[in-house]
Amino acid sequence: MADITSIPAARVPVLEPGTNIMSREWYRFLFNQFGQTGGGTTGLALSDLELAPLGEANSAGLVDEVEGLLSLPPVPFAPRRTGSFASTMTLNVPFINTATAVTFDTTILSAGIGLTTSSQVLPGRAGAYLIAFDAQFDKTTGGDGTGYIWLRKNGTDLANTAKRWRVQGNDAEIGASLTTTILLAQTDYIEVMWASPDINVILAATPATAFSPLGPSALLSITQVDP
């Protein structure tokens, strides 16, 4: 059997993902096959080439296969969704040891992901999402205090997402961050919750200065990570 060309490996896609353009490996393979059959000017077919380089047959079958690949419908491309939201105000807990939703008053970026309420974020598409939350704890009185942050999905606390920080005294700001990846259905919404056993623990916004912009008390970014 004549070795007319090397067929691409099974892992090589016919079309480049997301572009609907034939991959280089498959284009070269099909172009070589087409050339071996005379470029459409002879009666050669692939079955003839399997027996000998210059057999006589009809090349219409190969041409149909090539044209079929080139006429495949476009592959729908959906860009990954992302959103970023901030709270520009200082936030307080109404009661001690009480779960309270972090509220956002500013949309920094909304590409498919938006707020349905001041605290509920709706990605609107099923998939895996990277959640990144940052906040600034502070305390308005002396002594140590603690603050907790965790995630909720559809009103239910998400296991293994809670973190705790200790604030040591008045005006002793400390940065807090929470990062995780979760699976969401199309209608799922996410909230960031916080609480403290000390009513004097706050999420503090930093006022703008002559040399720096305002620092939000809380910042939430959600980005889809799967195709």
Side-chain angles (χ1 to χ4, degrees):
M1 181 180 295
D3 182 14
I4 59 172
T5 187
S6 297
I7 189 169
R11 66 178 179 275
V12 178
V14 177
L15 300 179
E16 295 289 353
T19 66
N20 201 34
I21 298 175
M22 183 177 291
S23 63
R24 178 190 299 180
E25 294 85 354
W26 276 102
Y27 175 83
R28 292 177 61 183
F29 170 71
L30 294 172
F31 183 81
N32 288 338
Q33 296 283 21
F34 188 66
Q36 288 289 335
T37 59
T41 61
T42 69
L44 294 176
L46 283 177
S47 58
D48 298 294
L49 295 176
E50 292 173 356
L51 300 175
L54 296 175
E56 289 291 333
N58 191 341
S59 63
L62 175 61
V63 174
D64 289 342
E65 290 181 23
V66 174
E67 291 181 347
L69 288 172
L70 296 177
S71 62
L72 289 173
V75 177
F77 175 71
R80 294 176 181 176
R81 298 190 169 198
T82 186
S84 184
F85 313 95
S87 178
T88 61
M89 300 179 297
T90 293
L91 303 178
N92 304 82
V93 288
F95 307 101
I96 64 170
N97 300 324
T98 301
T100 303
V102 176
T103 56
F104 303 95
D105 56 21
T106 300
T107 297
I108 300 173
L109 172 66
S110 180
I113 298 178
L115 292 167
T116 57
T117 69
S118 61
S119 66
Q120 296 177 2
V121 182
L122 179 69
R125 179 191 293 162
Y129 289 84
L130 175 66
I131 313 293
F133 177 76
D134 291 279
Q136 183 170 253
F137 277 113
D138 200 358
K139 196 167 184 290
T140 58
T141 61
D144 291 353
T146 54
Y148 296 78
I149 289 175
W150 68 96
L151 296 179
R152 274 187 181 177
K153 182 174 73 172
N154 303 330
T156 301
D157 295 337
L158 285 177
N160 304 314
T161 62
K163 296 181 72 175
R164 183 183 67 178
W165 289 266
R166 183 176 299 277
V167 186
Q168 297 180 333
N170 184 31
D171 294 331
E173 297 92 343
I174 182 171
S177 63
L178 173 63
T179 303
T180 189
T181 302
I182 61 175
L183 291 174
L184 297 174
Q186 182 177 357
T187 58
D188 288 343
Y189 68 86
I190 286 294
E191 290 180 290
V192 182
M193 309 302 295
W194 75 293
S196 176
D198 188 332
I199 199 70
N200 298 305
V201 171
I202 61 175
L203 296 182
T206 303
T209 69
F211 53 84
S212 71
L214 177 145
S217 58
L219 179 64
L220 173 66
S221 296
I222 301 182
T223 302
Q224 186 178 9
V225 293
D226 57 350

